[in-house]
Amino acid sequence: MNREQQVLARIERIRRRKPVVREERITLAHGAGGKATHTLIEAVFLEAFRNPLLAPLDDGALLRVGGERLAFTTDSFVVSPLFFPGGDIGDLAVNGTVNDLAMCGARPAHLSAGFVLEEGFPVADLRRITDSMAAAAAAADVTIVTGDTKVVQRGKADGCFITTAGVGLVEQPVTLSASHARPGDAVIVSGPIGEHGAAIMLARDDFGIEAPIVSDTAPLHAIVAELLAAMPQHVRTLRDATRGGVATVVNEVANASEVAVVLREDDIPVRPEVTGVCELLGLDPLYVACEGRFVTVVDGEHAGRALEVLRSHPLGAEAAIIGTVAAAPAGLVLLRTAFGGTRVVDVLVGDPLPRIC
């Protein structure tokens, strides 16, 4: 066994270990979408709630009710600041849940909204947030049909937190999962990556950097519906690239499908201003969150058609094939760099950008 094979074998042994939360207290890393998050989910939540509907750990659960296939999902939003270039916590809460339903192949229908408000929070800001949610719901053709409100003492929260849940109807004969990728498949991203995370970074004004970057927050159900209608049997996986970015999504695919994902750095769309900000701050755009982009794995023989469909929609005009699926080394993501080398793209333990959604 050569040195490369020894390294790969060691990585495989570590990944096969049963997840264990070693920390005594929750840290920000546990909410970042990386290794700490996955460990927390598997060692605590999945261990307590394990059942066949939860076990796949997809963006939502698929349910059968009266002969219909429904998707059900929930998400919480704690973004800071509440208002940022291109959006706010309100439209983010609607779009995020709409997108999770879309990643299940569902047409979003109804949402719930729960608010945790801090004593002293300005009513004008709350109205601004709810107006934004109403506009986003109308744009996504969904209705907010139930909700809840709690108020906590001053200093016990950070202004406003929102939890939304959603239900949608799966109308196409599709079964989507991160575990369905096969060697020869193509990996496609729907547009330039990293814009939401970069916009949040700059909105916090911690670094004194100015750049014309706005969040990409948007509802993805329509573009996904067009893709599934055009080729329902050839789409394997859909995942929105939120916390942890594209890198985390493709690692989930590689692990769940027991395949390798090989990305090509030159083919990954990143706007120059996002690249510039990430270089200044020492970040890799592959790990920076999006809120209006998704990754899809499709049958490699039909990748061209998938790209054509995506580019015909305004939200997919800059979609690109960024990699392929290979048989080995199973469970790993490799990046063919612009300099001709190859490196492993692993999942981060934490996230340098907490509270981006």
Side-chain angles (χ1 to χ4, degrees):
M1 182 181 293
N2 61 35
R3 182 169 179 78
E4 180 179 351
Q5 291 172 325
Q6 290 175 343
V7 170
L8 294 176
R10 184 179 180 187
I11 291 172
E12 180 64 17
R13 287 196 301 272
I14 292 173
R15 286 186 166 182
R16 295 297 180 187
R17 291 176 182 171
K18 183 178 180 180
V20 176
V21 177
R22 302 187 185 282
E23 299 85 358
E24 294 184 357
R25 297 182 182 275
I26 296 298
T27 71
L28 284 174
H30 287 116
K35 290 181 180 178
T37 300
H38 291 169
T39 299
L40 181 70
I41 290 171
E42 294 181 21
V44 177
F45 300 120
L46 188 57
E47 189 71 19
F49 307 138
R50 189 181 302 276
N51 64 75
L53 295 174
L54 178 63
L57 296 179
D58 287 324
D59 284 321
L62 293 179
L63 315 172
R64 285 197 174 273
V65 180
E68 299 288 352
R69 295 176 70 207
L70 301 179
F72 178 55
T73 190
T74 187
D75 208 345
S76 296
F77 298 85
V78 297
V79 65
S80 176
L82 298 176
F83 306 97
F84 47 84
D88 57 53
I89 192 173
D91 60 23
L92 196 65
V94 171
N95 290 339
T97 296
V98 164
N99 292 347
D100 281 346
L101 291 171
M103 297 305 109
C104 297
R107 174 176 57 82
H110 304 295
L111 305 183
S112 68
F115 295 81
V116 176
L117 305 175
E118 181 183 10
E119 178 187 16
F121 187 67
V123 173
D125 285 351
L126 181 58
R127 290 189 184 278
R128 183 178 170 187
I129 290 167
T130 55
D131 286 347
S132 180
M133 293 180 73
D141 195 25
V142 298
T143 50
I144 298 173
V145 295
T146 189
D148 185 50
T149 304
K150 297 290 190 296
V151 179
V152 299
Q153 300 97 322
R154 192 185 304 268
K156 301 297 184 179
D158 192 7
C160 174
F161 299 151
I162 301 176
T163 295
T164 47
V167 63
L169 184 63
V170 182
E171 298 171 315
Q172 294 289 343
V174 296
T175 303
L176 305 167
S177 175
S179 63
H180 289 178
R182 306 171 190 171
D185 286 349
V187 181
I188 301 175
V189 68
S190 65
I193 65 174
E195 294 176 7
H196 176 73
I200 296 299
M201 270 192 298
L202 298 184
R204 290 175 182 168
D205 201 25
D206 291 336
F207 307 104
I209 301 172
E210 294 184 4
I213 301 174
V214 300
S215 170
D216 57 12
T217 177
L220 296 170
H221 63 295
I223 184 174
V224 167
E226 291 183 13
L227 177 66
L228 294 179
M231 44 190 302
Q233 304 304 317
H234 303 298
V235 180
R236 317 271 200 225
T237 303
L238 291 169
R239 284 290 175 97
D240 52 343
T242 55
R243 290 178 301 170
V246 169
T248 298
V249 169
V250 291
N251 268 280
E252 290 171 350
V253 171
N255 279 311
S257 296
E258 296 185 343
V259 295
V261 175
V262 183
L263 303 178
R264 298 179 296 271
E265 187 173 31
D266 285 339
D267 294 335
I268 300 170
V270 187
R271 298 198 192 282
E273 52 269 33
V274 173
T275 298
V277 168
C278 288
E279 287 179 349
L280 284 172
L281 299 178
L283 301 174
D284 185 340
L286 277 171
Y287 295 96
V288 179
C290 312
E291 287 292 343
R293 308 285 187 235
F294 66 92
V295 175
T296 181
V297 178
V298 303
D299 185 331
E301 294 184 1
H302 298 270
R305 174 59 178 151
L307 200 61
E308 179 184 337
V309 172
L310 292 176
R311 288 179 172 175
S312 70
H313 191 282
L315 290 178
E318 298 177 76
I321 300 173
I322 62 171
T324 56
V325 177
L332 288 184
V333 177
L334 305 177
L335 180 72
R336 307 297 188 200
T337 70
F339 298 103
T342 301
R343 67 176 175 88
V344 173
V345 178
D346 202 356
V347 180
L348 295 180
V349 173
D351 190 339
L353 305 173
R355 295 184 58 184
I356 48 80
C357 61

